[in-house]
Amino acid sequence: LWVEHFRNREIIDGFSVARYVTEKDEWATEAYLTTDYSGLNDAVFQDVIKHYRVHKMTTNYQYSFDSIDTSDWKSYKLPEIFTLVRGQWNKQKISHLSGKTPLVTSTSRDNGIDCFTADDPTVLSVPCLTVANNGSVGETFIQDKPFNATADVTVLVPHKALSENALLFIASIVKMEKHKFHYGFKWNIGRMKESSIKLPVKNGLLDVEFMEKFIDDIKKPITVN
């Protein structure tokens, strides 16, 4: 295509240009190309709007919150709060048929969900947390629909039912552990069973009410018009 337009000396927006240059000019085609607006459509604007909305949601608090006092929080090993179950699925086991069952993998995108398959879900105890042991080590998400998980993921099922807000709070704390682990020192289920996190307590017990209210207060200012 380029050779054809070159031979015909065709000038096309965003693709080709005819320009005489001297030693004082830019010797890069891009300096003289005109922008091709023929591809302008709604999606161009939607993409910018989406990124701006995500920015507003993810940076709303970075400049307003002081450090949180955790001096009276208690250290819990993960098995004290959750039953840890390793995912069992692999690429050979997946049906590869499109469906409605989420397949959670070690990705850091889309809430850890790689795809939706026609397989029956095997993890039915929701809401719960999923933590990536490989790849994006330590990425932690809440799963609120029955799902399947690969062997690169550990499922954290709470011993006692926890609300979405409480799980959001705990997921944030769990993710703070990710800096300790990497490809050569993976956060496998064995190491997870020995891992501890600090959480707020009241009268010696996990202060679920504090966690729920804390997250609820953070959620309130997040509005997307």
Side-chain angles (χ1 to χ4, degrees), residues 2 8 12 20 36 45 47 65 75 80 86-87 99 109 114 116 120 143 151 170 184 201 203-204 218 222 224:
W2 185 91
N8 296 332
I12 301 174
Y20 176 80
D36 179 12
F45 298 94
D47 187 60
F65 273 25
S75 182
E80 294 183 74
R86 185 182 181 188
R109 301 183 302 273
D114 181 68
F116 291 83
D120 293 330
Q143 307 300 334
I170 297 174
V201 292
N203 299 325
I218 286 183
I222 299 181
V224 179

Side-chain angles (χ1 to χ4, degrees), residues 6-196:
F6 176 76
R7 286 174 175 169
N8 296 332
R9 297 297 189 266
E10 296 180 67
I11 299 174
I12 301 174
D13 288 343
F15 185 79
S16 60
V17 64
R19 176 85 177 203
Y20 176 80
V21 295
T22 70
E23 71 278 5
K24 296 180 180 180
D25 298 313
E26 293 277 7
W27 280 50
T29 307
E30 291 78 10
Y32 310 106
L33 286 175
T34 54
T35 301
D36 179 12
Y37 284 95
S38 64
L40 186 63
N41 54 34
D42 291 353
V44 175
F45 298 94
Q46 291 171 358
D47 187 60
V48 173
I49 292 169
K50 288 176 183 178
H51 280 83
Y52 178 67
R53 286 177 171 176
V54 170
H55 161 74
K56 294 287 285 184
M57 295 173 69
T58 57
T59 62
N60 210 17
Y61 307 97
Q62 293 182 12
Y63 314 106
S64 59
F65 273 25
D66 296 325
S67 297
I68 299 171
D69 182 11
T70 63
S71 58
D72 58 351
W73 289 16
K74 179 182 175 182
S75 182
Y76 289 91
K77 284 194 173 182
L78 289 175
E80 294 183 74
I81 306 171
F82 300 97
T83 298
L84 278 63
V85 182
R86 185 182 181 188
Q88 300 296 319
W89 287 70
N90 55 47
K91 294 297 182 181
Q92 288 71 38
K93 190 174 181 180
I94 300 169
S95 66
H96 295 288
L97 297 175
S98 180
K100 297 181 179 180
T101 300
L103 178 67
V104 179
T105 68
S106 58
T107 179
S108 61
R109 301 183 302 273
D110 299 324
N111 209 58
I113 297 172
D114 181 68
C115 61
F116 291 83
T117 75
D119 303 293
D120 293 330
T122 55
V123 182
L124 306 177
S125 300
V126 291
C128 64
L129 300 182
T130 54
V131 183
N133 304 132
N134 196 6
S136 301
V137 179
E139 286 294 332
T140 307
F141 300 101
I142 295 178
Q143 307 300 334
D144 60 353
K145 299 286 191 299
F147 63 96
N148 291 318
T150 65
D152 290 329
V153 172
T154 295
V155 181
L156 275 59
V157 181
H159 297 322
K160 296 181 180 179
L162 293 172
S163 67
E164 177 184 282
N165 277 1
L167 286 173
L168 282 169
F169 189 101
I170 297 174
S172 304
I173 302 299
V174 172
K175 284 186 68 171
M176 294 186 71
E177 299 296 308
K178 64 184 296 183
H179 73 282
K180 301 177 183 177
F181 304 95
H182 48 77
Y183 185 81
F185 185 66
K186 298 178 183 179
W187 204 12
N188 56 39
I189 190 169
R191 292 183 177 124
M192 290 191 72
K193 288 180 177 179
E194 297 300 319
S195 297
S196 298

